[in-house]
Amino acid sequence: RAGRSARRRAGPSQGGMEDPTALAARITEAIQVLQAPQTSPEVRRSANEFVLQVREHPAAVAAATRLCTPEAPPFARFFAFQLLAHAAESGKIRAEDVQVRTSLLDMLANSTLAASGDLQEVPAFVREKFAQALAAVAVYSSEWPAGWLDLQQQVFLAGKRSRVHATLALTVFRNVSEVLQSDAASRLPVQRRKQLQTHLRELCGELFTFIAAAVTNLFPGSPELDRAAVLLVQELSAVVPVKAFLQADIDTFLRLKLSDTTVRTEVVQAFSEWLARDVAKDWKESPGRMLQLVTVICDLAGQCKPSESMGASEYEVHKSVAMLVRDFVDSNKPTLERRPELQAVVHAAGLNMLRYPSICVQLEATSIMPHLLKAAVAKASSLPTWLRIKEDLMPPLFLCSFKQVPANFSLFPLPPGYPQAMLATCELDAEEDLAGNQVAIRGRLRECMAVLATTSSAILAVLEFLHELLPRALDTTGAEGSFLNYEAALTLLECTVANLRVASGQQALEACRALLVRVLQTNAPSAAHETRRLEFLTRVGGALDACAEVSQSSDRQEVVLLFNHLFRIVEAGDSELRKKALVSCVAVSKAAPNAIRPVLQALVDKAAALLSCIPDEQHSLCEALVAASTAAQNFEQQQALVQNLLGPLVTQWVPLVDAIAAPDKLAASLLGDRAQLDISHRLLQCFWACFRSSRVPTRPDVVASGGFGAAPPQPGGAPGVAVRNPAGTIAAAVLPGLIRLYRAFHAAFPSDGIRQPAGIGAEVVHRLLTYINAMDKEELKNLTSSFDTKRLEEADTWDSALPPPQGDDPARVLQGRQLLYNFRLSLYRCLGAALGVQDGTVTHPEVNSLLSCAFESLQGVHPYHVELQLRNIWLVLFCVSGMSSSTEGLRASFAAAMLPKLLPAAASSLNECWRRLQLPDAQICNCAEGSALLWAMCTGTIMASRTYVELVTSLVLHGGTSPAAAPSTGPTMEASADEPQPMEKSGGKKKGRDRTGGAAKNQMSDVGGGAAAAGAGTSKPPAGWAGPVFSAGESAEAVQRALCAVVGWQDPKALGHALTGMHALAVRLMSGGEAHNQLKDAHAASPDAPQRSTLALRAVVQPLVGLCRQLPPALPGDGALHTVIGKPFFDFFAPERSQGQVSASPFAVGITNALFPVLSGMCQVFVQVCRKHQVRPEVQHIVQFSALAEACQMLATLRHADEGAVHGLVATLLDDGADAKMKRGALRNIVSKAVDADLALGGVAA
């Protein structure tokens, strides 16, 4: 009976106007239902729906006023104050409603908030919500300060009654500041918001006086009051300059509270709000006080000492201090560079942080050191006296390079208990990514060494420290922990050597050469030692090259010594060491061309002799040889080496392709003798390695002197490459066979679990199913580890996830699956690398017909295999620097030929994958191994979708075009060809540009037509593909349709990246292809700006509004897809909550960012059009600007939007007094109302 009563009373009203008293009773009962733990789910759901709806009730304000009284239960009062705050924010409490604000002020001024007048009786959470309600009414529902003169006076007077009153008074003003900084404040008129912010700044003097009186004289020793004062100071930091706090001695108050452990965290956060921003102006006006303040903070870093009894809260304070120093340096680099006295103070703090036994604190310390060192040594003629690199800086930097400091460390004295304290802080930081932090620390060490390497005296001090340290650190005899010392010493040496350049000076480079020789001559007693040394040698190429440039000798003994060492390991080492040695060979060959050139032939001969001795990894040695050949910087010599190396392989390749490039032959080779498949796989690896390492020079003088330049295209002929590639002839010879093998492979081995192999008999197809309906364990591991690192510990379970059928040889089946996967991967990589050569492949006369099968092969394959094709083939060509050796004309023609086919084909394949994932799990993978394949299908689809978005967004984010003018047509304001067009602001100073335009085609190619004219030349094209894409209408339309396809998928990361791409597309369209980030005034003044607006309306606004009206469906709650991305999907569409404030969801923010360039750009165009027609740019005139009028009509169809709200948005966009943040916030409010779910207010109380 009680449940039925609660259900009936908690449900929504079915009648007309309800009495406020009755509504208040229903609210109270609903809150009690939500609080009762024994409430059934059905009743709780009904009560929750009621509290969601009640804030829109006509009598909500009156009911809330009744519930604010002390007689109401605490949670009901909490909800009532929340209702009043929402009513004020939404405009339901008007400035004329004096009773509400008078009642609220009376609760504080006359203590009616409590029945007895003792506010201590009122729960703290109710007092906090009361302060929020009073602040909201003051901001939204009054004309304060002018219309509510006694507000602050009565609040200050009430604050003198008791410590609770004082705390509540400070909390009220803190909430006023919070409201003004929230997104909701953008609904205020611009003038009103500025008025309140100005008054708050003017009021800070009284506030600081009140704080001093309350915490010092009236109510000293009150932790709650101290905390409220600190929080108010922290909040005011957003609107009050630091100098105002210093003038009121608030810094003194905060320094005194640092000793109070109950508020120390808040004090550090308040200091962070002061200093984690640019304080150059404050420093200029109060240099002495600012230096004193920063000195206090830096001294605080030195006072943070770990102890055996240190708890988690104290350690968090220490980390907060370190982050505060880091934030200050990050935000004030110019000030740091100009003030040597500040550099000394920060340096002392940095040293203390480096010596602190914590990986997290050391990360903050190493983050500030590069900026500090740059400020100290960049312009100084000599090192400052406080910077003692060898004695003070290098020892703690060396300690930071340890993964674990050995207990018996003896290379130099450590602070007492350092290793034990490091273990304790690592335990406290157990949830942190300590391994990732250590990687970041090594990156910061490299930055430090890069700065020091610019000054001869500084880098010599570093090398002197290493020269003294290295013999003892590399001593591998006896002592426990010797490998840790060895590893850390090589880490620090690696960070140093990697940054040495010719500018470091001959003395430094000679010292470096000696250190390298010592490392090579040191004994490595174990495989771990040798592995670490090989990793180090991988990164020494740049230093070897610099040594060669300054050396007077040409014998290059250190280079010969290094390669001899690597070749010995290749010849005699085990498989793992051989792989690492070959990686080192490749890396040094690429990074040290000057050092290798004098000894190139000897190295090539030695390496070529090893090819026949290596049972595997021949492709790595091939890559090293081709990479080393680039040191010659001579086309003929490099081409000869490539042809001598790969010629025999090509001779072997052609008959091999003839033998297996058919579906039935490939199937027979997999099921029978696999020798031909193995040979083909090794050849693919070798071709891939050589093609990707055959790089052409980028310097025009080297291109000319080395004979790499290509002949300019004949008039009317096909565009070609600008720079020839030595591997071009080999790539052209291999390409047709690659395509044949590619087509046959996909016909023989479809992997989507639906299609059957083509051109193969039924009996053979049945035997193939164990291979094509399963995945290799390495594939499954890659799918798992690439997407979800939390599942890395499960990687071994994939060994038995897809067992071979009974009756088959398990080892042979597993080896066949592995061969099939490796062959597929090598095939994709080789095709991508061959096309990446460009010379002879992209310029192949039949390249379009050859690649037609590549689009067909995106169908009928597993989504992970779609991802492999996109990443290894198409991203090679269409990355930011793709086809950099080609002319702009070739890039444009290739994009026009490929993208309109590639993007729809990939989108169609992924659409089918997403459709299948909506089915019940049993129907997605209806085989015995369904669980493993289901996981692979989910993660593969998500990975492929993200790679697809990466490809599409890269096409619009990078590069640029010259805007092509497209005149408008039609009789409206934006379309009159007979009227004079407005001149661009910079138009009078530029010559040779056609600003009148041609025939309008209403195609996306109009925004980038200027790029096509640049295609005929042979100059190096700009990085990025925006120019070629926007020079062809079909390419641009394909990109737009691809982005629209992605927004229908349910992966939040892919959707977020697609919205970023839509933002870039919007700016491209509105700017004529020139920019991707933001619009300029000249873009709005362009004659064809109205046509661009119409185009952007169709391409961006219309699909995004449609998306807002029909959001992607929620993931099935019981499906595998929900397990994989259910939580991120929910978070992406859920409003964000922080400190009691609610802000727009990431999805709403993404939609806002994409729409804003179009809508704000349209308003700029509208202003220009109005000026031309001599009318005021007002809302009532937008009906004459069809694009803007239609955009408003679209926005008015959104949920909770209407014509009035949209016109208010346009008025804000047209308001010269509104800043960009205000304008963007106005649009975000409309979008978030349309797409963000309402919050369950009852859930807050619960």
Side-chain angles (χ1 to χ4, degrees):
R1 185 166 63 248
R4 287 194 299 272
S5 173
R7 204 161 42 242
R8 182 180 64 255
R9 296 185 184 181
S13 175
Q14 305 296 324
M17 185 64 182
E18 188 173 3
D19 177 71
T21 303
L23 180 61
R26 294 178 65 221
I27 292 173
T28 301
E29 186 164 0
I31 296 298
Q32 291 173 341
V33 166
L34 290 172
Q35 292 299 310
Q38 69 274 16
T39 303
S40 67
E42 180 184 355
V43 175
R44 185 179 298 276
R45 190 182 310 109
S46 178
N48 199 52
E49 291 175 357
F50 169 69
V51 296
L52 279 171
Q53 299 169 3
V54 75
R55 61 180 179 179
E56 306 298 334
H57 197 287
V61 174
T65 304
R66 285 164 172 75
L67 285 176
C68 289
T69 60
E71 293 77 18
F75 285 113
R77 299 183 75 189
F78 176 92
F79 183 74
F81 287 128
Q82 193 172 45
L83 274 180
L84 290 177
H86 176 267
E89 181 183 321
S90 58
K92 295 178 181 177
I93 302 177
R94 297 173 298 175
E96 298 80 22
D97 298 334
V98 180
Q99 182 179 357
V100 174
R101 68 171 188 251
T102 301
S103 174
L104 287 174
L105 182 58
D106 190 62
M107 292 181 185
L108 176 60
N110 296 319
S111 305
T112 59
L113 186 64
S116 65
D118 183 4
L119 300 190
Q120 184 65 33
E121 298 175 355
V122 182
F125 69 92
V126 176
R127 297 200 302 266
E128 177 71 28
K129 191 55 65 175
F130 157 75
Q132 291 182 14
L134 181 56
V137 169
V139 171
Y140 295 109
S141 303
S142 75
E143 298 297 330
W144 179 68
W148 199 358
L149 295 173
D150 60 340
L151 171 63
Q152 60 207 49
Q153 180 181 0
Q154 292 206 38
V155 171
F156 285 137
L157 286 174
K160 298 179 180 179
R161 294 189 174 187
S162 71
R163 60 177 181 82
V164 181
H165 283 81
T167 301
L168 203 50
L170 296 178
T171 305
V172 167
F173 288 112
R174 172 172 61 84
N175 278 280
V176 169
S177 182
E178 286 179 353
V179 167
L180 290 176
Q181 301 306 313
S182 67
D183 284 346
S186 60
R187 302 172 190 174
L188 291 169
V190 177
Q191 199 63 30
R192 169 68 174 159
R193 187 175 183 180
K194 290 184 176 180
Q195 177 191 25
L196 288 170
Q197 290 175 337
T198 301
H199 179 69
L200 196 59
R201 282 193 293 270
E202 295 172 349
L203 184 62
C204 68
E206 293 184 58
L207 285 172
F208 295 157
T209 301
F210 178 78
I211 289 175
V215 303
T216 305
N217 301 323
L218 297 176
F219 315 109
S222 171
E224 186 179 7
L225 178 58
D226 291 344
R227 187 172 184 276
V230 173
L231 291 177
L232 174 59
V233 170
Q234 180 180 321
E235 185 60 39
L236 288 176
S237 301
V239 293
V240 178
V242 177
K243 65 176 182 179
F245 295 105
L246 299 180
Q247 290 170 355
D249 286 333
I250 296 298
D251 56 322
T252 304
F253 161 71
L254 293 179
R255 288 201 305 270
L256 293 174
K257 295 304 174 186
L258 279 171
S259 59
D260 186 349
T261 57
T262 60
V263 294
R264 184 180 297 165
T265 301
E266 287 78 8
V267 171
V268 172
Q269 185 60 38
F271 277 131
S272 180
E273 293 291 338
W274 288 8
L275 298 178
R277 58 181 177 180
D278 188 357
V279 294
K281 184 176 180 181
D282 301 286
W283 203 289
K284 183 177 181 181
E285 297 178 357
S286 305
R289 290 299 305 276
M290 287 299 299
L291 181 61
Q292 181 183 8
L293 173 62
V294 175
T295 302
V296 168
I297 300 301
C298 292
D299 288 346
L300 186 60
Q303 296 167 14
C304 295
K305 302 291 185 182
S307 62
E308 296 181 3
S309 60
M310 180 178 64
S313 59
E314 184 180 0
Y315 177 53
E316 287 298 323
V317 173
H318 294 180
K319 290 199 295 184
S320 297
V321 172
M323 287 187 284
L324 168 56
V325 177
R326 189 273 319 271
D327 289 342
F328 169 74
V329 173
D330 283 346
S331 303
N332 294 274
K333 296 173 188 174
T335 301
L336 187 66
E337 292 175 4
R338 291 192 297 264
R339 299 187 176 274
E341 71 280 8
L342 178 60
Q343 297 168 14
V345 171
V346 174
H347 176 68
L351 289 180
N352 286 321
M353 292 160 59
L354 284 173
R355 296 174 183 134
Y356 191 95
S358 162
I359 294 174
C360 292
V361 174
Q362 289 175 357
L363 175 60
E364 308 298 345
T366 53
S367 297
I368 70 172
M369 277 300 170
H371 309 306
L372 176 65
L373 294 173
K374 182 179 180 181
V377 307
K379 298 180 181 179
S381 57
S382 59
L383 297 180
T385 56
W386 49 263
L387 181 58
R388 303 198 311 162
I389 295 175
K390 178 184 174 183
E391 296 81 4
D392 295 340
L393 181 61
M394 292 307 297
L397 286 181
F398 176 59
L399 287 178
C400 291
S401 62
F402 275 89
K403 291 183 178 179
Q404 179 183 346
V405 179
N408 60 344
F409 181 88
S410 59
L411 297 178
F412 50 78
L414 289 178
Y418 185 94
Q420 295 76 13
M422 179 65 81
L423 293 175
T425 57
C426 288
E427 186 176 348
L428 290 172
D429 286 325
E431 296 184 1
E432 299 283 346
D433 181 13
L434 296 181
N437 287 352
Q438 288 181 322
V439 172
I441 287 174
R442 288 194 286 275
R444 304 298 185 273
L445 290 178
R446 284 192 289 272
E447 294 177 18
C448 291
M449 296 303 113
V451 174
L452 294 175
T454 60
T455 304
S456 178
S457 58
I459 197 62
L460 283 174
V462 172
L463 292 169
E464 185 178 350
F465 172 81
L466 289 170
H467 182 75
E468 296 178 2
L469 174 75
L470 214 57
R472 292 177 292 137
L474 298 183
D475 183 6
T476 58
T477 58
E480 182 183 354
S482 63
F483 176 72
L484 295 175
N485 293 334
Y486 184 92
E487 181 182 41
L490 287 185
T491 297
L492 187 57
L493 181 60
E494 174 186 301
C495 295
T496 305
V497 168
N499 289 287
L500 288 176
R501 298 294 180 267
V502 175
S504 303
Q506 184 172 1
Q507 188 177 358
L509 291 172
E510 289 297 332
C512 171
R513 190 202 307 266
L515 291 173
L516 292 178
V517 171
R518 179 180 289 276
V519 171
L520 288 168
Q521 292 175 343
T522 300
N523 178 44
S526 69
H529 288 78
E530 188 59 65
T531 298
R532 183 63 189 92
R533 175 160 58 183
L534 291 173
E535 292 173 353
F536 164 74
L537 295 176
T538 303
R539 298 171 174 85
V540 303
L544 289 175
D545 219 41
C547 291
E549 287 195 45
V550 301
S551 175
Q552 303 298 323
S553 171
S554 60
D555 56 4
R556 303 290 186 270
Q557 294 181 359
E558 69 280 0
V559 178
V560 174
L561 182 64
L562 183 147
F563 274 95
N564 285 340
H565 177 77
L566 295 177
F567 290 156
R568 280 197 302 272
I569 296 175
V570 169
E571 190 172 9
D574 60 28
S575 176
E576 290 302 317
L577 287 178
R578 184 186 304 120
K579 289 180 182 179
K580 291 188 177 296
L582 288 169
V583 169
S584 298
C585 286
V586 173
V588 176
S589 298
K590 292 180 178 179
N594 293 317
I596 291 175
R597 191 176 295 119
V599 294
L600 173 61
Q601 194 59 49
L603 295 180
V604 168
D605 293 342
K606 177 67 175 177
L610 288 175
L611 272 176
S612 59
C613 305
I614 304 176
D616 53 9
E617 299 294 328
Q618 294 96 333
H619 64 282
S620 295
L621 193 55
C622 287
E623 183 175 7
L625 287 170
V626 176
S629 73
T630 60
Q633 295 184 351
N634 181 280
F635 178 82
E636 300 297 337
Q637 184 178 351
Q638 292 177 226
Q639 186 183 50
L641 185 144
V642 172
Q643 290 179 343
N644 291 337
L645 178 66
L646 298 182
L649 302 184
V650 174
T651 303
Q652 189 180 8
W653 167 256
V654 175
L656 190 60
V657 170
D658 292 335
I660 66 171
D664 57 338
K665 295 177 180 177
L666 281 173
S669 182
L670 178 66
L671 297 174
D673 184 1
R674 295 172 179 165
Q676 290 182 324
L677 268 183
D678 287 327
I679 296 173
S680 302
H681 177 229
R682 288 199 295 271
L683 290 178
L684 288 172
Q685 287 183 304
C686 291
F687 289 140
W688 164 62
C690 293
F691 291 158
R692 75 169 184 166
S693 57
S694 179
R695 303 300 179 92
V696 297
T698 56
R699 288 171 44 189
D701 58 331
V702 178
V703 171
S705 62
F708 291 90
Q714 298 296 324
V721 296
V723 183
R724 295 187 297 166
N725 193 305
T729 55
I730 299 295
V734 170
L735 181 63
L738 274 176
I739 297 297
R740 287 179 58 195
L741 197 56
Y742 184 89
R743 182 184 292 111
F745 183 88
H746 286 92
F749 307 121
S751 58
D752 63 347
I754 298 177
R755 294 194 181 189
Q756 295 294 311
I760 301 176
E763 182 179 351
V764 176
V765 168
H766 179 73
R767 294 177 60 195
L768 280 179
L769 293 181
T770 186
Y771 297 99
I772 62 177
N773 281 347
M775 301 187 79
D776 176 55
K777 64 180 182 180
E778 291 300 322
E779 280 185 285
L780 294 174
K781 287 181 181 180
N782 291 339
L783 276 167
T784 304
S785 59
S786 298
F787 180 72
D788 186 0
T789 55
K790 295 180 181 179
R791 294 175 59 91
L792 281 174
E793 67 276 5
E794 302 178 18
D796 291 339
T797 63
W798 299 122
D799 291 352
S800 57
L802 301 169
Q806 292 186 354
D808 290 350
D809 181 0
R812 178 174 172 79
V813 171
L814 294 178
Q815 190 271 342
R817 291 176 181 173
Q818 184 179 36
L819 175 61
L820 197 62
Y821 167 60
N822 291 332
F823 191 95
R824 180 190 300 274
L825 184 59
S826 298
L827 182 61
Y828 294 164
R829 285 175 170 175
C830 188
L831 180 56
L835 294 173
V837 170
Q838 304 164 63
D839 185 12
T841 53
V842 176
T843 59
H844 195 287
E846 299 178 6
V847 66
N848 291 345
S849 60
L850 287 174
L851 290 179
S852 60
C853 69
F855 311 129
E856 301 168 1
S857 299
L858 289 169
Q859 311 295 323
V861 295
H862 192 278
Y864 178 55
H865 301 155
V866 175
E867 198 275 341
L868 291 179
Q869 292 186 66
L870 292 175
R871 184 165 300 282
N872 292 288
I873 300 176
W874 300 110
L875 269 175
V876 171
L877 296 168
F878 291 110
C879 65
V880 178
S881 58
M883 293 181 61
S884 59
S885 298
S886 301
T887 62
E888 190 72 358
L890 178 57
R891 297 173 85 233
S893 63
F894 189 78
M898 297 293 112
L899 293 179
K901 300 175 183 178
L902 167 66
L903 298 182
S908 174
S909 178
L910 292 174
N911 280 333
E912 176 60 21
C913 293
W914 283 103
R915 187 197 65 78
R916 288 179 63 186
L917 290 177
Q918 306 305 313
L919 300 174
D921 288 355
Q923 297 181 29
I924 298 176
C925 299
N926 52 0
C927 59
E929 299 84 9
S931 176
L933 291 180
L934 177 61
W935 173 264
M937 174 66 73
C938 290
T939 54
T941 300
I942 294 166
M943 291 170 62
S945 301
R946 294 176 180 179
T947 303
Y948 180 75
V949 178
E950 179 186 348
L951 168 64
V952 176
T953 54
S954 176
L955 296 174
V956 295
L957 282 175
H958 306 288
T961 69
S962 300
S968 49
T969 58
T972 56
M973 291 176 65
E974 77 275 19
S976 178
D978 297 331
E979 297 176 357
Q981 301 294 331
M983 181 178 291
E984 297 186 50
K985 290 187 176 181
S986 58
K989 295 184 179 180
K990 293 187 178 181
K991 298 180 181 180
R993 246 181 163 179
D994 178 15
R995 299 183 182 276
T996 60
K1001 297 181 180 180
N1002 194 26
Q1003 294 181 351
M1004 288 192 182
S1005 58
D1006 294 341
V1007 302
T1018 59
S1019 60
K1020 184 180 178 181
W1025 282 91
V1029 165
F1030 284 96
S1031 68
E1034 291 185 357
S1035 300
E1037 289 170 7
V1039 170
Q1040 188 268 342
R1041 286 195 298 269
L1043 291 172
C1044 290
V1046 175
V1047 298
W1049 300 341
Q1050 293 166 300
D1051 176 36
K1053 190 170 183 179
L1055 180 54
H1057 287 174
L1059 292 177
T1060 301
M1062 292 294 273
H1063 168 265
L1065 177 65
V1067 180
R1068 293 282 185 199
L1069 296 177
M1070 295 297 294
S1071 67
E1074 276 191 294
H1076 77 278
N1077 191 17
Q1078 61 183 358
L1079 299 174
K1080 301 177 182 178
D1081 293 339
H1083 297 144
S1086 176
D1088 60 340
Q1091 280 69 38
R1092 296 175 185 169
S1093 300
T1094 302
L1095 186 59
L1097 178 73
R1098 297 283 176 264
V1100 178
V1101 178
Q1102 186 172 347
L1104 289 183
V1105 170
L1107 176 63
C1108 292
R1109 296 177 61 188
Q1110 187 173 2
L1111 300 177
L1115 301 172
D1118 57 348
L1121 191 60
H1122 184 274
T1123 304
V1124 179
I1125 56 172
K1127 178 64 165 58
F1129 182 85
F1130 173 81
D1131 292 342
F1132 188 68
F1133 287 93
E1136 295 188 345
R1137 302 183 183 186
S1138 178
Q1139 298 180 349
Q1141 299 293 325
V1142 181
S1143 56
S1145 65
F1147 174 71
V1149 173
I1151 293 288
T1152 301
N1153 291 340
L1155 288 176
F1156 186 75
V1158 180
L1159 297 177
S1160 63
M1162 284 183 178
C1163 289
Q1164 294 177 44
V1165 176
F1166 175 60
V1167 171
Q1168 297 293 333
V1169 173
C1170 288
R1171 288 176 181 173
K1172 182 177 64 176
H1173 290 268
Q1174 298 181 357
V1175 296
R1176 292 178 60 83
E1178 296 176 346
V1179 174
Q1180 60 264 30
H1181 294 145
I1182 63 174
V1183 294
Q1184 301 180 59
F1185 184 21
S1186 58
L1188 184 56
E1190 191 172 351
C1192 291
Q1193 292 174 1
M1194 290 181 183
L1195 292 175
T1197 63
L1198 295 176
R1199 188 168 68 106
H1200 297 318
D1202 53 27
E1203 185 178 355
V1206 175
H1207 284 178
L1209 166 65
V1210 174
T1212 302
L1213 294 176
L1214 293 172
D1215 187 355
D1216 292 335
D1219 57 13
K1221 182 179 180 181
M1222 181 80 67
K1223 295 177 180 180
R1224 195 179 294 270
L1227 175 59
R1228 185 166 54 243
N1229 282 330
I1230 289 181
V1231 173
S1232 61
K1233 282 184 178 181
V1235 301
D1236 289 347
D1238 293 330
L1239 295 178
L1241 298 181
V1244 176

